[in-house]
Every structure is written in structure tokens, then in C-alpha cells.
């Protein structure tokens, strides 16, 4: 009997980190049959950008991967998100299971597995996690991750403290990365939230943001377009 994995009329989004194409395709087919939206990682050297862009409700993670293993990526995900992570691996000895849980995994499924068992595990995890509602919304660029739910900013595990205005300015620049954002647009955006800033105040805020980003290793992250505004390339 097919179980409905839909949540409030919307599809659950499942993020698959598996470098075996056949296994990834099999899981994808099964999940899509059960009404899920699925994304399989393409660039194993920079998984976080795809994770942030997709905004999944659950992650299925292999241990043995190119570049960095699943433990590493689970740790990176845990720095910015509480999304449930289920490890799927043939390395199912007690040491690997304990290691997975210690890195923040929520469950572990040994390969080879029965697709019905996988579906049951996924369904149970989704229901247990999202019965109380609430998705995580993240904006990421070049390793810098902005969490729109709690207004936190992290880079390589280091948290960057921002004032309210600094957060709003950086959010606008990151969401429109690759495009020049005019100074008057930024000021109008801040005015909408009753944060009245003038030209000088905006310049001071940009300078402070740059110093904070420089301190964690992101030098020249924001570029000034003289007489126009700012851009994150």
C-alpha cells in the first residue's frame, strides 16, 4: 500500500548525497513514486551550495564519497541546519553507526536495503520532524551561509555577529548576488522596516560588514561600484 508523503499539500524535498549513480537513481525513482521532490548532488566538492539552494526537508547521506566523506558533510550541514540526516552505507559496523550519530545523524540504514524499509524510515522521520511545522530557509554563497529563520551568519563553522541593519544589508546583497544593488535601493529597503539610514550611515554599515567578513577570511567579499552601489560576485 502506498503511503502519502505529502505535507500540507506540498511535496517533501529529499536531498541525496550518493556517488553510486545506480543506487542514487533507484532511491530517486522510489521517492518520486511516493510523491517526493528529489535532488541528487552533482558537485561532490561543494555539497553545501546545492544543499542550501534546494532547501530539503531530509538528507540521505552515504559515508564514502569523493573529496570529503559523509561525516564531514553531515558536520557542515549541522553548522547551519537541523534538517534530519539519514546515513545509508555498506559500512554498517558499530563504529560507523556511532560515528554517524555523533556527527549529528538521525538514523542509519545499512546497504543493501529494501526500498520499502527505506520509505518507512523516511516517512517516519518526516512525520516526527515536521508534525510541528517550520522549514529552514538559507541563503549561501562561497561558503557563507545566512539563516533567514534565526538571522545567523556562519562561515566554515564560525559565526559572524551582525546588527539588525547589517543583517538586512547582507541579506539583500546575497539574495541578489551577481547584480549591482544601488545604494538608494538598500536605504529604501531599510526604511521599509522603519530603520531610517542616510548615506553616511549606510557607508558605516558596509564598512563594518566588510571588517567582520575580513575577520573570518572573506576578504573583498563585497565590491563597491563607485557612484552606484555594491555587488557580491
Amino acid at each position: 500500500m502506498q503511503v502519502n508523503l505529502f505535507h500540507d499539500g506540498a511535496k517533501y524535498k529529499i536531498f541525496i548525497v550518493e556517488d553510486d549513480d545506480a543506487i542514487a537513481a533507484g532511491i530517486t525513482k522510489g521517492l518520486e513514486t511516493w510523491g517526493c521532490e528529489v535532488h541528487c548532488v552533482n558537485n561532490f566538492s561543494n555539497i553545501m551550495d546545492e544543499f542550501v539552494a534546494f532547501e530539503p526537508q531530509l538528507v540521505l547521506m552515504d559515508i564514502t564519497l569523493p573529496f570529503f566523506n559523509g561525516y564531514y558533510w553531515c558536520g557542515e550541514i549541522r553548522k547551519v541546519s537541523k534538517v534530519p540526516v539519514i546515513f545509508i552505507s555498506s559500512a554498517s559496523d558499530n563504529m560507523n553507526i556511532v560515528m554517524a550519530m555523533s556527527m549529528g545523524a538521525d538514523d542509519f540504514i545499512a546497504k543493501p536495503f529494501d526500498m520499502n524499509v527505506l520509505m518507512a524510515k523516511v516517512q517516519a522521520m518526516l512525520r516526527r520532524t515536521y508534525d510541528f511545522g517550520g522549514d529552514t530557509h538559507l541563503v549561501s554563497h562561497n561558503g557563507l551561509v545566512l539563516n533567514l529563520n534565526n538571522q545567523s551568519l556562519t562561515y566554515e563553522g564560525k559565526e559572524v555577529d551582525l546588527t539588525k541593519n547589517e543583517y538586512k544589508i547582507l541579506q539583500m546583497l546575497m539574495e541578489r548576488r551577481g547584480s549591482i544593488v544601488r545604494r538608494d535601493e538598500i536605504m529604501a529597503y531599510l526604511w521599509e522596516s522603519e530603520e531610517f539610514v542616510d548615506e553616511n550611515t549606510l557607508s558605516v554599515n558596509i564598512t563594518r560588514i566588510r571588517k567582520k567578513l575580513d575577520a573570518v577570511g572573506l576578504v573583498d567579499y563585497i565590491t563597491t561600484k563607485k557612484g552606484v552601489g555594491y555587488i557580491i560576485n
Side-chain angles (χ1 to χ4, degrees):
M1 182 177 69
Q2 182 171 341
V3 180
N4 185 8
L5 293 183
F6 282 72
H7 174 62
D8 295 335
K11 289 184 177 181
Y12 279 113
K13 298 168 73 174
I14 313 297
F15 189 68
I16 299 177
V17 187
E18 168 63 69
D19 65 329
D20 186 310
D21 292 340
I23 294 175
I27 296 174
T28 298
K29 183 178 179 180
L31 289 170
E32 289 179 342
T33 299
W34 290 59
C36 295
E37 183 180 349
V38 180
H39 176 80
C40 295
V41 168
N42 296 305
N43 182 4
F44 287 92
S45 67
N46 191 2
I47 287 173
M48 289 306 295
D49 276 357
E50 292 184 48
F51 169 82
V52 170
F54 187 58
E55 292 190 346
Q57 277 83 46
L58 185 142
V59 177
L60 296 176
M61 177 82 70
D62 192 11
I63 293 178
T64 305
L65 298 167
F67 302 102
F68 301 98
N69 63 29
Y71 301 136
Y72 171 83
W73 291 116
C74 185
E76 291 299 296
I77 288 172
R78 281 290 165 264
K79 291 174 183 177
V80 299
S81 174
K82 295 180 180 179
V83 64
V85 177
I86 299 177
F87 270 89
I88 301 176
S89 177
S90 56
S92 57
D93 57 275
N94 289 341
M95 182 189 304
N96 278 294
I97 294 174
V98 170
M99 177 69 76
M101 297 304 178
S102 67
M103 292 304 295
D106 297 275
D107 205 345
F108 195 106
I109 300 175
K111 295 177 182 175
F113 53 84
D114 182 276
M115 185 59 70
N116 289 324
V117 172
L118 175 63
M119 292 299 105
K121 290 261 193 180
V122 168
Q123 179 199 24
M125 185 64 68
L126 289 171
R127 285 182 172 173
R128 188 161 64 243
T129 305
Y130 298 105
D131 274 350
F132 53 84
D135 295 337
T136 298
H137 299 286
L138 307 172
V139 179
S140 172
H141 180 63
N142 288 348
L144 190 66
V145 180
L146 191 66
N147 188 319
L148 304 185
N149 282 350
N150 60 18
Q151 298 191 356
S152 65
L153 183 70
T154 56
Y155 178 70
E156 294 186 346
K158 295 171 282 190
E159 188 161 345
V160 182
D161 293 324
L162 298 175
T163 66
K164 184 178 179 180
N165 278 353
E166 291 167 357
Y167 165 80
K168 287 183 174 295
I169 292 168
L170 192 55
Q171 177 189 354
M172 190 175 193
L173 293 175
M174 289 182 70
E175 287 180 339
R176 294 175 56 180
R177 58 189 177 275
S179 301
I180 298 173
V181 182
R182 301 196 313 272
R183 289 176 61 88
D184 59 346
E185 288 183 275
I186 299 174
M187 288 188 288
Y189 177 60
L190 295 174
W191 291 341
E192 287 175 5
S193 60
E194 298 183 354
E195 295 292 331
F196 300 101
V197 299
D198 56 20
E199 290 274 350
N200 183 62
T201 305
L202 176 58
S203 296
V204 170
N205 275 274
I206 291 290
T207 298
R208 287 175 178 169
I209 293 171
R210 282 180 167 142
K211 286 182 178 179
K212 291 178 179 182
L213 296 180
D214 286 351
V216 297
L218 287 172
V219 180
D220 297 329
Y221 192 78
I222 300 172
T223 301
T224 298
K225 294 299 181 181
K226 193 171 182 180
V228 182
Y230 307 97
I231 184 173
I232 292 176
N233 291 308

